[in-house]
Amino acid sequence: MIEIKSHIDNSIILTTEVLDTSYRNRTLMNENSLTLYFNRTEFIEVPIGSYCIFQGEKYILMKPQNFKKNNWRNFEFTLIMDSVQGVMKNYKFRDKVSKRLKFSNTARPQEHLEMLVWNLNQPIS
């Protein structure tokens, strides 16, 4: 049983049983996503930014849901949710001084962290 919650007020949007074909893809230093397949008798909108907690880890819906209408009472849904680390795919890592994408990056860990925070505070382009 999976609960999908709203990112705005943490209210439950959907509680559903997922199909056995659902899976989590977690690899070292790479993707960490949760793919949920489920069927419903009525259409339900799951907004972008909604999240669920699976095995103690938060997964966020970053792309619109995918659904297939088989007939008027059978909808198949596919939700691909990214972990918190997956949110970083929306950002480009730029040099703090020159604002270039290609640059030499050798610094102390504290400076790397400062550059990461600076990049996260920049508008998404």
Side-chain angles (χ1 to χ4, degrees), residues 8 11-12 28-29 42 45 52 57 74 78 88 107 112 119:
I8 297 170
S11 62
I12 296 173
L28 187 61
M29 295 182 62
E42 74 279 347
E45 180 71 31
C52 74
E57 197 164 347
N74 186 0
T78 303
M88 295 291 291
H112 283 285
N119 276 282

Side-chain angles (χ1 to χ4, degrees), residues 1 3 29 46 60-61 64 81 88 92 98-99 107 110:
M1 189 69 79
E3 284 186 349
M29 295 182 62
V46 181
I60 304 167
L61 183 65
M81 306 178 94
M88 295 291 291
K92 294 180 181 178
S98 66
K99 312 282 191 286
Q110 179 181 353

Side-chain angles (χ1 to χ4, degrees), residues 17-30:
E17 287 285 334
V18 295
L19 300 174
D20 290 340
T21 54
S22 299
Y23 61 94
R24 176 171 64 170
N25 185 12
R26 185 170 63 170
T27 55
L28 187 61
M29 295 182 62
N30 202 354

